[in-house]
Amino acid sequence: MIKRGKFVFAVAAAFLVSGFVCACSARESSELLEGKKVISQMQFKLPLQEGFINTSPATAQTGFDSPESAVKGYLTGLRESNLKYMTDTFSENLDTDDIMRQYAILCGLGLDEGPVRLKNTAEVKAFVDNLESSIKAVDLNSVKLVGFVDPGDLDDAYTNQKHQENLIRIAKRYGGDKMVSCVAAIEVDGRKFFLIFDVIRKDGRWFNHQLGGIFANMSGMERKEVGTLSLETADEQILNQLVPDFSKNLLEAEAGHGAVGAADTNEETGGFDSSQMAVRKYVEYLAANEQDKMIGTFAVESYVDHFDFRNRLENTGAYIFMQQEFNFPSVTDFTRDLNIESRKNDIRLNLLEQYTALGVFSEIDTADLVQTEDLDVSFALSELPKRLNTSTIKILGYISPEKMSESYGSDDFQDIKLMRMKAYGADDIESIAAAFELNGVRYIICIDTMKYEDRWYIRELGGELYLLLGLDYRYAGILPADYLNNSDIDSLILPFS
């Protein structure tokens, strides 16, 4: 159904035009691999290069009076199981992966010790039962902040003039004028920890900047530990000198800062009457560049609430922490909120892959927005539609999946479909291929949809149909219409009902 050779050549050529591949004499296969790096290397923001000014949107908070108050705000949100309040203590949108890593350490889950092989249903059941009981056993309301430790007492290098000057340079790089490290001594269900934070000052107000960060790195901690140090094995004498009293609790509401607000997790808009309607609305919102509404067409809360964590592990045969679609079963309000944030992050990256693929096929240079070293997802999502001129999108209709791939109706694929439905906890799933024009060029986007309680939602851009066509998922379901091996494409396109 697809002109495979033409597809490979055109993608590679588009990447060459975009400046991502410079070896003009490379073979087609290596060109495609190089081209894929543009999308596959996209990841959340890494440490920024000298001179780069971060443009992530500010969060809802107005800041704090002191670095310690910013840390107190974060820990107050943790105590109240309020993920939104925790993230709002940061000056920029925080990758919640760090919170997930910290949460796993605070709960003593021991998930970061490598892959867990699960050979059969019984092993999966035992693993999930243990994980769920361990999560339920931890009462976040028990979180106590007993005090702060001067980083200079832990490492003399912190007070070094060159290090302090470097902190100022880093603060300026992120739009602030000062940065400090805070070390908080806390207790959770009787377990004692040091938590390390980078805290930044912007316009006279303090915000959390990063969990762990610079001082944690100076102390030899691994990045995956996110500045969270268990004190169970620490030298008792040194600990008693630094924190002589673990009986007190400094977590009091900050004066003038207000009470902890309710978490805002209502992302999906209630679903649609049909899979066609869900896809049509998505493309309409794409044309209007209404990204909040685009995300609202996806199953978010419904997906998290119906997802069968145990079934997914049975299908994969292993659990690898921070490599799962969802790292925790949704057995508490906090793990549910973490899973909702994971789902939202996956959707945002899916949108970014879509825009980047359209840029590649349109031969529009997007290197400065999606290069790995300083990737800013929010900024890229705001700028890419402008370069693509998505307002020119004209919706043509849809193509039934059976017309796109003969394998879609096969018994083997139906077995796969049933397996997917069980993992997603869905009543039905269906792939739709929408056809549209952008800047006068026809495109097709393959989209997976799912049904919960008589309402249809989008699950993923790309998905099963795109994979059946033998195309790479990192292009988010996008392909130019003339790559279909059909001279009469109009005969395939049906109007949306």
Side-chain angles (χ1 to χ4, degrees):
M1 302 293 285
I2 294 222
K3 300 177 182 178
R4 193 67 53 83
K6 182 179 179 182
F7 179 81
V8 171
F9 177 77
V11 172
F15 278 116
L16 282 167
V17 171
S18 299
F20 289 115
V21 182
C22 59
C24 297
S25 60
R27 295 178 300 175
E28 280 186 0
S29 59
S30 62
E31 287 173 341
L32 181 59
L33 290 174
E34 286 298 314
K36 289 179 181 178
K37 290 180 182 178
V38 179
I39 298 177
S40 66
Q41 288 177 352
M42 291 194 307
Q43 52 187 285
F44 282 109
K45 185 175 65 230
L46 299 175
L48 300 179
Q49 296 176 336
E50 188 69 35
F52 178 81
I53 301 300
N54 189 267
T55 51
S56 292
T59 56
Q61 284 290 12
T62 57
F64 299 84
D65 295 333
S66 68
E68 291 79 12
S69 294
V71 173
K72 285 182 182 180
Y74 175 88
L75 294 173
T76 298
L78 178 63
R79 182 187 62 184
E80 301 298 324
S81 299
N82 191 322
L83 182 61
K84 183 179 186 300
Y85 190 83
M86 294 166 68
T87 57
D88 278 351
T89 65
F90 288 76
S91 61
E92 298 162 3
N93 289 328
L94 175 72
D95 179 4
T96 51
D97 283 1
D98 283 353
I99 294 180
M100 279 189 263
R101 290 188 176 95
Q102 185 182 77
Y103 176 75
I105 296 171
L106 295 177
C107 292
L109 301 181
L111 296 175
D112 214 2
E113 299 173 357
V116 179
R117 303 294 180 187
L118 302 167
K119 299 177 183 178
N120 51 52
T121 301
E123 289 190 2
V124 170
K125 182 180 185 304
F127 175 79
V128 175
D129 286 348
N130 181 65
L131 184 57
E132 289 182 350
S133 62
S134 297
I135 290 172
K136 291 177 181 178
V138 175
D139 179 13
L140 289 181
N141 199 245
S142 71
V143 172
K144 294 196 306 184
L145 170 64
V146 301
F148 291 92
V149 176
D150 187 339
D153 291 340
L154 297 174
D155 192 334
D156 292 338
Y158 180 79
T159 60
N160 182 281
Q161 182 178 351
K162 288 185 177 180
H163 178 66
Q164 293 299 310
E165 292 173 352
N166 187 50
L167 286 176
I168 293 175
R169 284 196 296 270
I170 295 173
K172 290 180 177 179
R173 194 184 305 171
Y174 287 95
D177 62 0
K178 189 172 183 179
M179 182 176 287
V180 300
S181 296
C182 274
V183 182
I186 75 163
E187 186 174 280
V188 183
D189 274 350
R191 295 188 296 272
K192 302 175 177 64
F193 300 89
F194 281 159
L195 304 186
I196 302 174
F197 297 76
D198 280 348
V199 191
I200 191 170
R201 187 173 66 187
K202 294 184 176 181
D203 298 323
R205 305 294 290 169
W206 289 94
F207 301 86
N208 291 313
H209 178 71
Q210 188 175 6
L211 302 183
I214 299 167
F215 185 70
N217 183 60
M218 287 173 56
S219 303
M221 298 182 69
E222 295 185 27
R223 177 69 184 85
K224 65 182 181 180
E225 295 173 309
V226 289
T228 306
L229 175 65
S230 172
L231 301 179
E232 294 176 3
T233 59
D235 187 299
E236 196 70 28
Q237 184 176 0
I238 296 176
L239 175 61
N240 288 335
Q241 291 175 354
L242 294 173
V243 189
D245 184 7
F246 265 86
S247 65
K248 56 189 176 182
N249 190 358
L250 303 181
L251 289 184
E252 302 292 341
E254 291 296 307
H257 191 65
V260 177
D264 179 15
T265 57
N266 188 23
E267 293 294 332
E268 64 187 31
T269 56
F272 302 89
D273 293 335
S274 66
S275 57
Q276 292 181 29
M277 179 65 74
V279 171
R280 192 188 81 180
K281 280 295 183 182
Y282 175 83
V283 182
E284 287 178 359
Y285 296 144
L286 171 63
N289 190 28
E290 295 181 295
Q291 293 181 7
D292 287 344
K293 291 183 178 180
M294 291 164 66
I295 294 174
T297 64
F298 283 76
V300 182
E301 288 83 8
S302 294
Y303 188 58
V304 168
D305 292 338
H306 288 86
F307 189 85
D308 192 330
F309 188 83
R310 187 168 306 193
N311 179 269
R312 174 53 62 88
L313 295 187
E314 289 175 358
N315 291 334
T316 58
Y319 175 96
I320 307 176
F321 184 52
M322 301 310 295
Q323 300 296 320
Q324 310 291 130
E325 183 171 10
F326 299 123
N327 289 288
F328 308 111
S330 297
V331 292
T332 68
D333 289 342
F334 194 67
T335 56
R336 178 180 183 268
D337 285 346
L338 285 173
N339 288 340
I340 288 171
E341 286 302 312
S342 290
R343 175 66 173 155
K344 288 162 57 179
N345 288 340
D346 287 345
I347 292 170
R348 281 159 51 82
L349 283 176
N350 208 196
L351 299 188
L352 188 55
E353 290 166 344
Q354 164 205 257
Y355 285 123
T356 305
L358 285 172
V360 167
F361 289 122
S362 302
E363 300 184 0
I364 296 173
D365 186 6
T366 60
D368 58 316
L369 297 177
V370 299
Q371 60 184 334
T372 303
E373 289 78 12
D374 53 18
L375 176 64
D376 185 325
V377 174
S378 297
F379 184 63
L381 285 176
S382 69
E383 291 297 312
L384 282 167
K386 301 174 188 176
R387 298 191 187 182
L388 294 170
N389 194 20
T390 54
S391 62
T392 67
I393 285 179
K394 177 183 177 182
I395 300 173
L396 304 177
Y398 77 98
I399 303 175
S400 65
E402 293 83 3
K403 296 293 185 180
M404 295 283 290
S405 171
E406 296 176 356
S407 299
Y408 187 83
S410 68
D411 291 340
D412 287 343
F413 182 75
Q414 293 307 306
D415 291 340
I416 294 174
K417 177 179 176 179
L418 291 174
M419 182 178 68
R420 295 281 193 268
M421 286 172 57
K422 187 175 181 180
Y424 305 148
D427 301 323
D428 198 1
I429 59 176
E430 185 176 351
S431 297
I432 300 288
F436 64 93
E437 285 186 3
L438 172 63
N439 298 324
V441 178
R442 289 188 174 189
Y443 293 92
I444 293 169
I445 179 169
C446 299
I447 298 178
D448 275 0
T449 64
M450 60 196 342
K451 185 180 182 182
Y452 291 121
E453 300 173 2
D454 293 325
R455 305 300 290 169
W456 284 90
Y457 306 83
I458 289 175
R459 194 194 82 82
E460 182 183 18
L461 307 180
E464 301 297 339
L465 177 59
Y466 204 59
L467 293 178
L468 285 177
L469 296 174
L471 306 178
D472 194 287
Y473 72 93
R474 287 168 291 191
Y475 296 117
I478 297 289
L479 71 156
D482 64 0
Y483 292 168
L484 285 177
N485 190 14
N486 191 309
S487 58
D488 187 14
I489 186 68
D490 291 333
S491 66
L492 300 180
I493 300 176
L494 303 174
F496 280 112
S497 59

